[in-house]
Amino acid sequence: MDTADHIYSSPDRLILVGGGSFNKDDLIRNARNADVIAVDGGLHACQEAGITPCAVIGDMDSAGVAEIAALGGAVPIHHIAEQDSTDLEKAMQHINAPLCLGFGFLGRRFDHALASLTVLARMTDARPEMKIVLAGRHDALTVTKQTIRTALPVDTRYSVWPVGTVGFDKSDGLIWLLDGLTLSPHGQVGTSNRTAKSAQLLQPASDNSTAFAVIVPVECLGHLCDAVMSGAG
């Protein structure tokens, strides 16, 4: 095993696969034209989906010996032993792509999902140039500090979860508008909203410095990826 001391680069999207639950068909469909990196126990999920990753990254406490052996030495294994970060964060620190799409980081354990949400919030500062979308079995989400424009079908679930205190100047296309509202985890939140139009806008205050999550049904994963990339740069 090697230590992961360099960055994996992709000119388009890069897929990370963790050990949580997600829809296998979603992974297979999105992996057809993208590089895939298995994150520790995500190696098992890759192999179940018939996908050979281009690398495996993590502390290797979940990837099975037999699963690693099945790679036959053809795939580099990058062991990062430190325990101060999650495997998702370890991987994020060693990749470079305009869009990172992660499967298996939301489901199965709620504490792991919270840790993933925290990582994405930190990445808005550490890696603002890399847009990140996570997909679970039921939800897809992104975390941002910036204005986000989506094009979801009318009457689609649209939830906003503030990581800290976030003020919003303007919103459009939602049943319950957020104009002038301040959201916070210990106050008002924006979950269980719905779309009222086929185009949506969520614009935080001009002086906003706090991240917030936008959560939609996983069936809208493609729409969410398009939204974060349309705002890139």
Side-chain angles (χ1 to χ4, degrees):
M1 294 185 184
D2 300 326
T3 55
D5 57 357
H6 61 283
I7 293 176
Y8 291 89
S9 295
S10 171
D12 189 14
R13 67 176 57 191
L14 187 60
I15 293 178
L16 300 181
V17 181
S21 62
F22 58 89
N23 301 312
K24 184 168 67 174
D25 289 345
D26 289 339
L27 170 60
I28 293 171
R29 182 172 59 255
N30 282 276
R32 286 173 182 154
N33 297 301
D35 291 334
V36 176
I37 292 179
V39 180
D40 204 344
L43 175 59
H44 176 73
C46 285
Q47 291 173 334
E48 278 200 330
I51 295 170
T52 300
C54 60
V56 183
I57 294 178
D59 57 20
M60 298 301 132
D61 63 350
S62 300
V65 174
E67 292 158 350
I68 293 174
L71 298 173
V75 175
I77 310 296
H78 297 281
H79 181 216
I80 308 175
E82 57 89 1
Q83 295 295 305
D84 294 328
S85 63
T86 67
D87 282 323
L88 174 60
E89 190 164 14
K90 289 178 176 69
M92 290 290 182
Q93 292 168 347
H94 295 90
I95 64 173
N96 188 29
L99 174 63
C100 176
L101 180 53
F103 294 89
F105 300 100
L106 294 181
R108 199 163 285 158
R109 282 182 50 173
F110 186 58
D111 57 338
H112 285 179
L114 287 174
S116 296
L117 186 65
T118 301
V119 169
L120 264 62
R122 283 203 292 263
M123 289 297 131
T124 62
D125 288 323
R127 302 293 303 278
E129 77 288 353
M130 184 165 61
K131 308 306 176 184
I132 306 167
V133 175
L134 299 185
R137 189 170 293 279
H138 303 290
D139 301 304
L141 69 82
T142 191
V143 177
T144 184
K145 295 180 179 180
Q146 308 298 323
T147 296
I148 182 167
R149 293 175 172 84
T150 49
L152 308 176
V154 173
D155 200 34
T156 296
R157 173 170 54 88
Y158 186 109
S159 292
V160 180
W161 175 260
V163 177
T165 300
V166 186
F168 291 92
D169 281 347
K170 184 178 180 181
S171 61
D172 192 28
L174 304 175
I175 290 180
W176 294 283
L177 298 176
L178 278 64
D179 302 47
L181 294 182
T182 298
L183 306 185
S184 70
H186 54 277
Q188 183 175 3
V189 298
T191 55
S192 299
N193 207 334
R194 301 194 78 82
T195 60
K197 301 177 183 177
S198 58
Q200 305 84 37
L201 167 71
L202 189 58
Q203 180 179 316
S206 58
D207 60 351
N208 177 60
S209 61
T210 304
F212 57 92
V214 174
I215 309 166
V216 300
V218 72
E219 291 80 10
C220 297
L221 176 60
H223 291 290
L224 192 58
C225 290
D226 290 343
V228 300
M229 290 310 294
S230 68

mmCIF file of all heavy atoms in Angstrom, residues 154-202:
data_model
loop_
_atom_site.group_PDB
_atom_site.id
_atom_site.type_symbol
_atom_site.label_atom_id
_atom_site.label_comp_id
_atom_site.label_asym_id
_atom_site.label_seq_id
_atom_site.Cartn_x
_atom_site.Cartn_y
_atom_site.Cartn_z
ATOM 1 N N VAL A 154 -41.961 21.270 -10.729
ATOM 2 C CA VAL A 154 -42.899 21.853 -9.777
ATOM 3 C C VAL A 154 -43.362 20.789 -8.776
ATOM 4 O O VAL A 154 -43.555 19.627 -9.124
ATOM 5 C CB VAL A 154 -44.106 22.462 -10.519
ATOM 6 C CG1 VAL A 154 -45.188 22.918 -9.541
ATOM 7 C CG2 VAL A 154 -43.662 23.624 -11.391
ATOM 8 N N ASP A 155 -43.509 21.202 -7.522
ATOM 9 C CA ASP A 155 -43.953 20.358 -6.412
ATOM 10 C C ASP A 155 -42.904 19.324 -6.001
ATOM 11 O O ASP A 155 -43.228 18.229 -5.545
ATOM 12 C CB ASP A 155 -45.285 19.660 -6.731
ATOM 13 C CG ASP A 155 -45.998 19.188 -5.462
ATOM 14 O OD1 ASP A 155 -45.894 19.882 -4.426
ATOM 15 O OD2 ASP A 155 -46.635 18.122 -5.490
ATOM 16 N N THR A 156 -41.633 19.707 -6.153
ATOM 17 C CA THR A 156 -40.524 18.871 -5.697
ATOM 18 C C THR A 156 -40.110 19.299 -4.289
ATOM 19 O O THR A 156 -40.040 20.491 -3.994
ATOM 20 C CB THR A 156 -39.310 19.012 -6.645
ATOM 21 O OG1 THR A 156 -39.668 18.512 -7.931
ATOM 22 C CG2 THR A 156 -38.112 18.236 -6.126
ATOM 23 N N ARG A 157 -39.836 18.337 -3.440
ATOM 24 C CA ARG A 157 -39.328 18.653 -2.099
ATOM 25 C C ARG A 157 -38.020 19.433 -2.205
ATOM 26 O O ARG A 157 -37.119 19.042 -2.951
ATOM 27 C CB ARG A 157 -39.127 17.358 -1.312
ATOM 28 C CG ARG A 157 -38.439 17.543 0.037
ATOM 29 C CD ARG A 157 -38.510 16.254 0.855
ATOM 30 N NE ARG A 157 -38.003 15.095 0.144
ATOM 31 C CZ ARG A 157 -36.721 14.726 0.146
ATOM 32 N NH1 ARG A 157 -35.808 15.436 0.771
ATOM 33 N NH2 ARG A 157 -36.357 13.633 -0.519
ATOM 34 N N TYR A 158 -37.908 20.505 -1.419
ATOM 35 C CA TYR A 158 -36.741 21.389 -1.481
ATOM 36 C C TYR A 158 -36.462 21.853 -0.056
ATOM 37 O O TYR A 158 -37.209 22.658 0.500
ATOM 38 C CB TYR A 158 -37.045 22.577 -2.386
ATOM 39 C CG TYR A 158 -35.896 23.523 -2.687
ATOM 40 C CD1 TYR A 158 -35.319 23.557 -3.949
ATOM 41 C CD2 TYR A 158 -35.413 24.410 -1.729
ATOM 42 C CE1 TYR A 158 -34.291 24.434 -4.250
ATOM 43 C CE2 TYR A 158 -34.380 25.291 -2.012
ATOM 44 C CZ TYR A 158 -33.829 25.308 -3.271
ATOM 45 O OH TYR A 158 -32.805 26.184 -3.570
ATOM 46 N N SER A 159 -35.426 21.318 0.542
ATOM 47 C CA SER A 159 -35.109 21.640 1.928
ATOM 48 C C SER A 159 -33.811 22.423 2.019
ATOM 49 O O SER A 159 -32.858 22.159 1.276
ATOM 50 C CB SER A 159 -34.998 20.360 2.765
ATOM 51 O OG SER A 159 -36.256 19.736 2.905
ATOM 52 N N VAL A 160 -33.795 23.365 2.943
ATOM 53 C CA VAL A 160 -32.598 24.170 3.213
ATOM 54 C C VAL A 160 -32.233 23.984 4.684
ATOM 55 O O VAL A 160 -33.055 24.245 5.570
ATOM 56 C CB VAL A 160 -32.840 25.669 2.920
ATOM 57 C CG1 VAL A 160 -31.576 26.475 3.205
ATOM 58 C CG2 VAL A 160 -33.293 25.867 1.477
ATOM 59 N N TRP A 161 -31.021 23.496 4.917
ATOM 60 C CA TRP A 161 -30.555 23.291 6.295
ATOM 61 C C TRP A 161 -29.341 24.184 6.541
ATOM 62 O O TRP A 161 -28.304 24.034 5.904
ATOM 63 C CB TRP A 161 -30.178 21.832 6.536
ATOM 64 C CG TRP A 161 -29.590 21.633 7.901
ATOM 65 C CD1 TRP A 161 -28.269 21.517 8.231
ATOM 66 C CD2 TRP A 161 -30.300 21.590 9.140
ATOM 67 N NE1 TRP A 161 -28.112 21.397 9.586
ATOM 68 C CE2 TRP A 161 -29.351 21.446 10.173
ATOM 69 C CE3 TRP A 161 -31.662 21.672 9.476
ATOM 70 C CZ2 TRP A 161 -29.705 21.362 11.516
ATOM 71 C CZ3 TRP A 161 -32.013 21.590 10.816
ATOM 72 C CH2 TRP A 161 -31.048 21.434 11.813
ATOM 73 N N PRO A 162 -29.455 25.140 7.465
ATOM 74 C CA PRO A 162 -28.328 26.031 7.753
ATOM 75 C C PRO A 162 -27.303 25.345 8.650
ATOM 76 O O PRO A 162 -27.656 24.789 9.690
ATOM 77 C CB PRO A 162 -29.005 27.201 8.479
ATOM 78 C CG PRO A 162 -30.172 26.567 9.184
ATOM 79 C CD PRO A 162 -30.643 25.451 8.285
ATOM 80 N N VAL A 163 -26.046 25.385 8.249
ATOM 81 C CA VAL A 163 -24.985 24.825 9.089
ATOM 82 C C VAL A 163 -24.720 25.740 10.272
ATOM 83 O O VAL A 163 -24.378 25.299 11.367
ATOM 84 C CB VAL A 163 -23.709 24.589 8.258
ATOM 85 C CG1 VAL A 163 -22.572 24.082 9.132
ATOM 86 C CG2 VAL A 163 -23.997 23.597 7.131
ATOM 87 N N GLY A 164 -24.895 27.045 10.056
ATOM 88 C CA GLY A 164 -24.818 28.042 11.115
ATOM 89 C C GLY A 164 -25.932 29.047 10.899
ATOM 90 O O GLY A 164 -26.982 28.711 10.362
ATOM 91 N N THR A 165 -25.696 30.275 11.281
ATOM 92 C CA THR A 165 -26.694 31.323 11.077
ATOM 93 C C THR A 165 -26.529 31.926 9.685
ATOM 94 O O THR A 165 -25.461 32.437 9.354
ATOM 95 C CB THR A 165 -26.556 32.418 12.146
ATOM 96 O OG1 THR A 165 -26.749 31.829 13.450
ATOM 97 C CG2 THR A 165 -27.587 33.510 11.949
ATOM 98 N N VAL A 166 -27.586 31.824 8.879
ATOM 99 C CA VAL A 166 -27.547 32.271 7.488
ATOM 100 C C VAL A 166 -28.747 33.170 7.207
ATOM 101 O O VAL A 166 -29.890 32.781 7.465
ATOM 102 C CB VAL A 166 -27.580 31.085 6.499
ATOM 103 C CG1 VAL A 166 -27.389 31.576 5.064
ATOM 104 C CG2 VAL A 166 -26.537 30.041 6.839
ATOM 105 N N GLY A 167 -28.483 34.354 6.676
ATOM 106 C CA GLY A 167 -29.559 35.235 6.242
ATOM 107 C C GLY A 167 -29.747 35.147 4.739
ATOM 108 O O GLY A 167 -28.781 34.953 3.989
ATOM 109 N N PHE A 168 -30.978 35.270 4.288
ATOM 110 C CA PHE A 168 -31.283 35.192 2.858
ATOM 111 C C PHE A 168 -31.926 36.494 2.401
ATOM 112 O O PHE A 168 -32.867 36.993 3.014
ATOM 113 C CB PHE A 168 -32.200 34.009 2.561
ATOM 114 C CG PHE A 168 -31.526 32.676 2.756
ATOM 115 C CD1 PHE A 168 -31.607 32.018 3.976
ATOM 116 C CD2 PHE A 168 -30.771 32.114 1.748
ATOM 117 C CE1 PHE A 168 -30.961 30.808 4.168
ATOM 118 C CE2 PHE A 168 -30.119 30.906 1.928
ATOM 119 C CZ PHE A 168 -30.223 30.244 3.149
ATOM 120 N N ASP A 169 -31.399 37.038 1.317
ATOM 121 C CA ASP A 169 -31.929 38.267 0.749
ATOM 122 C C ASP A 169 -33.115 38.011 -0.173
ATOM 123 O O ASP A 169 -34.071 38.795 -0.197
ATOM 124 C CB ASP A 169 -30.841 39.011 -0.044
ATOM 125 C CG ASP A 169 -29.888 39.785 0.853
ATOM 126 O OD1 ASP A 169 -30.207 39.945 2.048
ATOM 127 O OD2 ASP A 169 -28.817 40.201 0.359
ATOM 128 N N LYS A 170 -33.033 36.911 -0.929
ATOM 129 C CA LYS A 170 -34.033 36.706 -1.971
ATOM 130 C C LYS A 170 -34.209 35.223 -2.266
ATOM 131 O O LYS A 170 -33.259 34.438 -2.170
ATOM 132 C CB LYS A 170 -33.608 37.444 -3.253
ATOM 133 C CG LYS A 170 -34.615 37.399 -4.385
ATOM 134 C CD LYS A 170 -34.105 38.200 -5.589
ATOM 135 C CE LYS A 170 -35.101 38.162 -6.735
ATOM 136 N NZ LYS A 170 -34.604 38.917 -7.922
ATOM 137 N N SER A 171 -35.423 34.869 -2.616
ATOM 138 C CA SER A 171 -35.700 33.504 -3.083
ATOM 139 C C SER A 171 -36.837 33.582 -4.084
ATOM 140 O O SER A 171 -37.596 34.551 -4.121
ATOM 141 C CB SER A 171 -36.088 32.590 -1.913
ATOM 142 O OG SER A 171 -37.270 33.060 -1.281
ATOM 143 N N ASP A 172 -36.934 32.552 -4.908
ATOM 144 C CA ASP A 172 -38.003 32.521 -5.903
ATOM 145 C C ASP A 172 -38.273 31.068 -6.266
ATOM 146 O O ASP A 172 -37.391 30.200 -6.154
ATOM 147 C CB ASP A 172 -37.614 33.318 -7.145
ATOM 148 C CG ASP A 172 -38.796 33.565 -8.081
ATOM 149 O OD1 ASP A 172 -39.940 33.608 -7.586
ATOM 150 O OD2 ASP A 172 -38.575 33.676 -9.300
ATOM 151 N N GLY A 173 -39.490 30.790 -6.704
ATOM 152 C CA GLY A 173 -39.834 29.462 -7.174
ATOM 153 C C GLY A 173 -40.153 28.467 -6.082
ATOM 154 O O GLY A 173 -40.289 27.277 -6.358
ATOM 155 N N LEU A 174 -40.318 28.946 -4.835
ATOM 156 C CA LEU A 174 -40.637 28.083 -3.710
ATOM 157 C C LEU A 174 -42.003 28.448 -3.149
ATOM 158 O O LEU A 174 -42.425 29.607 -3.211
ATOM 159 C CB LEU A 174 -39.577 28.203 -2.613
ATOM 160 C CG LEU A 174 -38.130 27.914 -3.020
ATOM 161 C CD1 LEU A 174 -37.202 28.186 -1.851
ATOM 162 C CD2 LEU A 174 -37.989 26.472 -3.499
ATOM 163 N N ILE A 175 -42.671 27.466 -2.565
ATOM 164 C CA ILE A 175 -43.979 27.755 -1.954
ATOM 165 C C ILE A 175 -43.807 28.716 -0.782
ATOM 166 O O ILE A 175 -44.533 29.701 -0.639
ATOM 167 C CB ILE A 175 -44.662 26.447 -1.520
ATOM 168 C CG1 ILE A 175 -45.086 25.648 -2.761
ATOM 169 C CG2 ILE A 175 -45.875 26.743 -0.632
ATOM 170 C CD1 ILE A 175 -45.768 24.338 -2.444
ATOM 171 N N TRP A 176 -42.822 28.441 0.074
ATOM 172 C CA TRP A 176 -42.538 29.314 1.213
ATOM 173 C C TRP A 176 -41.229 30.041 0.942
ATOM 174 O O TRP A 176 -40.141 29.449 0.997
ATOM 175 C CB TRP A 176 -42.464 28.508 2.502
ATOM 176 C CG TRP A 176 -43.796 27.918 2.856
ATOM 177 C CD1 TRP A 176 -44.870 28.556 3.405
ATOM 178 C CD2 TRP A 176 -44.202 26.553 2.662
ATOM 179 N NE1 TRP A 176 -45.916 27.692 3.563
ATOM 180 C CE2 TRP A 176 -45.546 26.449 3.118
ATOM 181 C CE3 TRP A 176 -43.577 25.419 2.140
ATOM 182 C CZ2 TRP A 176 -46.260 25.262 3.069
ATOM 183 C CZ3 TRP A 176 -44.284 24.243 2.089
ATOM 184 C CH2 TRP A 176 -45.603 24.171 2.555
ATOM 185 N N LEU A 177 -41.319 31.324 0.625
ATOM 186 C CA LEU A 177 -40.146 32.111 0.278
ATOM 187 C C LEU A 177 -39.311 32.425 1.522
ATOM 188 O O LEU A 177 -39.840 32.535 2.630
ATOM 189 C CB LEU A 177 -40.567 33.399 -0.429
ATOM 190 C CG LEU A 177 -41.308 33.196 -1.761
ATOM 191 C CD1 LEU A 177 -41.759 34.537 -2.334
ATOM 192 C CD2 LEU A 177 -40.425 32.447 -2.760
ATOM 193 N N LEU A 178 -38.014 32.580 1.295
ATOM 194 C CA LEU A 178 -37.090 32.819 2.403
ATOM 195 C C LEU A 178 -36.600 34.270 2.445
ATOM 196 O O LEU A 178 -35.682 34.584 3.197
ATOM 197 C CB LEU A 178 -35.883 31.876 2.304
ATOM 198 C CG LEU A 178 -36.058 30.453 2.851
ATOM 199 C CD1 LEU A 178 -37.097 29.668 2.094
ATOM 200 C CD2 LEU A 178 -34.732 29.710 2.846
ATOM 201 N N ASP A 179 -37.206 35.130 1.663
ATOM 202 C CA ASP A 179 -36.766 36.523 1.585
ATOM 203 C C ASP A 179 -36.726 37.169 2.975
ATOM 204 O O ASP A 179 -37.738 37.176 3.700
ATOM 205 C CB ASP A 179 -37.722 37.333 0.705
ATOM 206 C CG ASP A 179 -37.841 36.772 -0.704
ATOM 207 O OD1 ASP A 179 -38.006 35.545 -0.828
ATOM 208 O OD2 ASP A 179 -37.783 37.553 -1.655
ATOM 209 N N GLY A 180 -35.563 37.695 3.326
ATOM 210 C CA GLY A 180 -35.421 38.413 4.581
ATOM 211 C C GLY A 180 -35.359 37.554 5.820
ATOM 212 O O GLY A 180 -35.267 38.073 6.935
ATOM 213 N N LEU A 181 -35.373 36.237 5.656
ATOM 214 C CA LEU A 181 -35.338 35.345 6.816
ATOM 215 C C LEU A 181 -33.907 35.019 7.222
ATOM 216 O O LEU A 181 -32.993 35.001 6.398
ATOM 217 C CB LEU A 181 -36.079 34.043 6.518
ATOM 218 C CG LEU A 181 -37.590 34.131 6.293
ATOM 219 C CD1 LEU A 181 -38.165 32.732 6.070
ATOM 220 C CD2 LEU A 181 -38.282 34.801 7.463
ATOM 221 N N THR A 182 -33.728 34.749 8.505
ATOM 222 C CA THR A 182 -32.465 34.246 9.028
ATOM 223 C C THR A 182 -32.703 32.847 9.563
ATOM 224 O O THR A 182 -33.559 32.643 10.424
ATOM 225 C CB THR A 182 -31.925 35.152 10.147
ATOM 226 O OG1 THR A 182 -31.662 36.452 9.614
ATOM 227 C CG2 THR A 182 -30.638 34.578 10.729
ATOM 228 N N LEU A 183 -31.974 31.882 9.037
ATOM 229 C CA LEU A 183 -32.092 30.492 9.465
ATOM 230 C C LEU A 183 -30.892 30.110 10.325
ATOM 231 O O LEU A 183 -29.790 30.617 10.128
ATOM 232 C CB LEU A 183 -32.176 29.559 8.257
ATOM 233 C CG LEU A 183 -33.259 29.843 7.207
ATOM 234 C CD1 LEU A 183 -33.259 28.740 6.149
ATOM 235 C CD2 LEU A 183 -34.626 29.995 7.833
ATOM 236 N N SER A 184 -31.114 29.196 11.249
ATOM 237 C CA SER A 184 -30.020 28.681 12.078
ATOM 238 C C SER A 184 -30.427 27.332 12.643
ATOM 239 O O SER A 184 -31.628 27.054 12.782
ATOM 240 C CB SER A 184 -29.697 29.647 13.219
ATOM 241 O OG SER A 184 -30.740 29.667 14.183
ATOM 242 N N PRO A 185 -29.461 26.461 12.987
ATOM 243 C CA PRO A 185 -29.804 25.137 13.515
ATOM 244 C C PRO A 185 -30.583 25.204 14.821
ATOM 245 O O PRO A 185 -31.358 24.296 15.132
ATOM 246 C CB PRO A 185 -28.425 24.471 13.722
ATOM 247 C CG PRO A 185 -27.495 25.226 12.841
ATOM 248 C CD PRO A 185 -28.012 26.633 12.811
ATOM 249 N N HIS A 186 -30.370 26.267 15.605
ATOM 250 C CA HIS A 186 -31.055 26.383 16.889
ATOM 251 C C HIS A 186 -32.258 27.331 16.813
ATOM 252 O O HIS A 186 -32.820 27.722 17.840
ATOM 253 C CB HIS A 186 -30.087 26.891 17.963
ATOM 254 C CG HIS A 186 -29.392 28.162 17.605
ATOM 255 N ND1 HIS A 186 -28.262 28.176 16.813
ATOM 256 C CD2 HIS A 186 -29.672 29.457 17.901
ATOM 257 C CE1 HIS A 186 -27.873 29.436 16.654
ATOM 258 N NE2 HIS A 186 -28.701 30.226 17.294
ATOM 259 N N GLY A 187 -32.649 27.700 15.579
ATOM 260 C CA GLY A 187 -33.799 28.571 15.383
ATOM 261 C C GLY A 187 -34.664 28.056 14.257
ATOM 262 O O GLY A 187 -35.007 26.873 14.202
ATOM 263 N N GLN A 188 -34.988 28.920 13.334
ATOM 264 C CA GLN A 188 -35.810 28.514 12.192
ATOM 265 C C GLN A 188 -34.949 27.839 11.136
ATOM 266 O O GLN A 188 -33.839 28.281 10.842
ATOM 267 C CB GLN A 188 -36.505 29.737 11.579
ATOM 268 C CG GLN A 188 -37.445 29.398 10.433
ATOM 269 C CD GLN A 188 -38.209 30.616 9.935
ATOM 270 O OE1 GLN A 188 -37.998 31.725 10.398
ATOM 271 N NE2 GLN A 188 -39.103 30.402 8.980
ATOM 272 N N VAL A 189 -35.470 26.737 10.564
ATOM 273 C CA VAL A 189 -34.798 26.045 9.468
ATOM 274 C C VAL A 189 -35.737 26.027 8.270
ATOM 275 O O VAL A 189 -36.892 26.440 8.367
ATOM 276 C CB VAL A 189 -34.360 24.618 9.865
ATOM 277 C CG1 VAL A 189 -33.362 24.658 11.011
ATOM 278 C CG2 VAL A 189 -35.572 23.767 10.248
ATOM 279 N N GLY A 190 -35.237 25.547 7.140
ATOM 280 C CA GLY A 190 -36.016 25.612 5.910
ATOM 281 C C GLY A 190 -36.309 24.264 5.314
ATOM 282 O O GLY A 190 -36.344 24.118 4.083
ATOM 283 N N THR A 191 -36.537 23.254 6.151
ATOM 284 C CA THR A 191 -36.812 21.916 5.628
ATOM 285 C C THR A 191 -38.256 21.793 5.150
ATOM 286 O O THR A 191 -39.138 22.552 5.552
ATOM 287 C CB THR A 191 -36.537 20.850 6.700
ATOM 288 O OG1 THR A 191 -37.298 21.178 7.877
ATOM 289 C CG2 THR A 191 -35.063 20.819 7.071
ATOM 290 N N SER A 192 -38.477 20.799 4.288
ATOM 291 C CA SER A 192 -39.816 20.436 3.804
ATOM 292 C C SER A 192 -40.520 21.545 3.042
ATOM 293 O O SER A 192 -41.751 21.609 3.040
ATOM 294 C CB SER A 192 -40.701 19.961 4.978
ATOM 295 O OG SER A 192 -40.139 18.830 5.587
ATOM 296 N N ASN A 193 -39.760 22.409 2.402
ATOM 297 C CA ASN A 193 -40.333 23.355 1.462
ATOM 298 C C ASN A 193 -40.618 22.601 0.160
ATOM 299 O O ASN A 193 -40.221 21.434 0.003
ATOM 300 C CB ASN A 193 -39.363 24.514 1.217
ATOM 301 C CG ASN A 193 -40.065 25.799 0.813
ATOM 302 O OD1 ASN A 193 -41.153 25.778 0.258
ATOM 303 N ND2 ASN A 193 -39.421 26.926 1.097
ATOM 304 N N ARG A 194 -41.276 23.245 -0.789
ATOM 305 C CA ARG A 194 -41.546 22.622 -2.076
ATOM 306 C C ARG A 194 -41.434 23.667 -3.170
ATOM 307 O O ARG A 194 -41.579 24.870 -2.915
ATOM 308 C CB ARG A 194 -42.931 21.970 -2.114
ATOM 309 C CG ARG A 194 -43.134 20.902 -1.057
ATOM 310 C CD ARG A 194 -44.352 20.056 -1.332
ATOM 311 N NE ARG A 194 -44.118 19.052 -2.361
ATOM 312 C CZ ARG A 194 -43.532 17.877 -2.140
ATOM 313 N NH1 ARG A 194 -43.110 17.558 -0.932
ATOM 314 N NH2 ARG A 194 -43.369 17.018 -3.123
ATOM 315 N N THR A 195 -41.163 23.193 -4.375
ATOM 316 C CA THR A 195 -41.035 24.113 -5.496
ATOM 317 C C THR A 195 -42.421 24.515 -6.011
ATOM 318 O O THR A 195 -43.336 23.694 -6.088
ATOM 319 C CB THR A 195 -40.226 23.479 -6.636
ATOM 320 O OG1 THR A 195 -40.898 22.283 -7.072
ATOM 321 C CG2 THR A 195 -38.817 23.131 -6.175
ATOM 322 N N ALA A 196 -42.535 25.796 -6.365
ATOM 323 C CA ALA A 196 -43.798 26.322 -6.891
ATOM 324 C C ALA A 196 -43.687 26.663 -8.369
ATOM 325 O O ALA A 196 -44.706 26.835 -9.043
ATOM 326 C CB ALA A 196 -44.211 27.567 -6.113
ATOM 327 N N LYS A 197 -42.464 26.764 -8.869
ATOM 328 C CA LYS A 197 -42.204 27.062 -10.272
ATOM 329 C C LYS A 197 -41.142 26.100 -10.781
ATOM 330 O O LYS A 197 -40.499 25.388 -10.008
ATOM 331 C CB LYS A 197 -41.709 28.501 -10.448
ATOM 332 C CG LYS A 197 -42.650 29.574 -9.949
ATOM 333 C CD LYS A 197 -42.012 30.953 -10.126
ATOM 334 C CE LYS A 197 -42.874 32.070 -9.577
ATOM 335 N NZ LYS A 197 -42.188 33.399 -9.710
ATOM 336 N N SER A 198 -40.921 26.106 -12.087
ATOM 337 C CA SER A 198 -39.936 25.190 -12.678
ATOM 338 C C SER A 198 -38.510 25.716 -12.586
ATOM 339 O O SER A 198 -37.575 25.031 -13.005
ATOM 340 C CB SER A 198 -40.285 24.918 -14.143
ATOM 341 O OG SER A 198 -40.327 26.128 -14.878
ATOM 342 N N ALA A 199 -38.320 26.906 -12.052
ATOM 343 C CA ALA A 199 -36.988 27.458 -11.800
ATOM 344 C C ALA A 199 -36.978 28.045 -10.398
ATOM 345 O O ALA A 199 -37.947 28.687 -9.982
ATOM 346 C CB ALA A 199 -36.629 28.523 -12.829
ATOM 347 N N GLN A 200 -35.892 27.795 -9.665
ATOM 348 C CA GLN A 200 -35.806 28.247 -8.286
ATOM 349 C C GLN A 200 -34.517 29.045 -8.062
ATOM 350 O O GLN A 200 -33.489 28.780 -8.694
ATOM 351 C CB GLN A 200 -35.838 27.063 -7.305
ATOM 352 C CG GLN A 200 -37.050 26.154 -7.467
ATOM 353 C CD GLN A 200 -36.852 25.106 -8.555
ATOM 354 O OE1 GLN A 200 -35.744 24.570 -8.718
ATOM 355 N NE2 GLN A 200 -37.901 24.796 -9.307
ATOM 356 N N LEU A 201 -34.609 30.003 -7.165
ATOM 357 C CA LEU A 201 -33.471 30.853 -6.805
ATOM 358 C C LEU A 201 -33.383 30.931 -5.293
ATOM 359 O O LEU A 201 -34.396 31.116 -4.614
ATOM 360 C CB LEU A 201 -33.641 32.260 -7.380
ATOM 361 C CG LEU A 201 -32.695 33.349 -6.830
ATOM 362 C CD1 LEU A 201 -31.277 33.119 -7.339
ATOM 363 C CD2 LEU A 201 -33.194 34.737 -7.196
ATOM 364 N N LEU A 202 -32.165 30.789 -4.779
ATOM 365 C CA LEU A 202 -31.920 30.973 -3.355
ATOM 366 C C LEU A 202 -30.664 31.829 -3.219
ATOM 367 O O LEU A 202 -29.571 31.399 -3.580
ATOM 368 C CB LEU A 202 -31.727 29.621 -2.665
ATOM 369 C CG LEU A 202 -31.674 29.616 -1.145
ATOM 370 C CD1 LEU A 202 -32.943 30.218 -0.547
ATOM 371 C CD2 LEU A 202 -31.471 28.203 -0.626
#
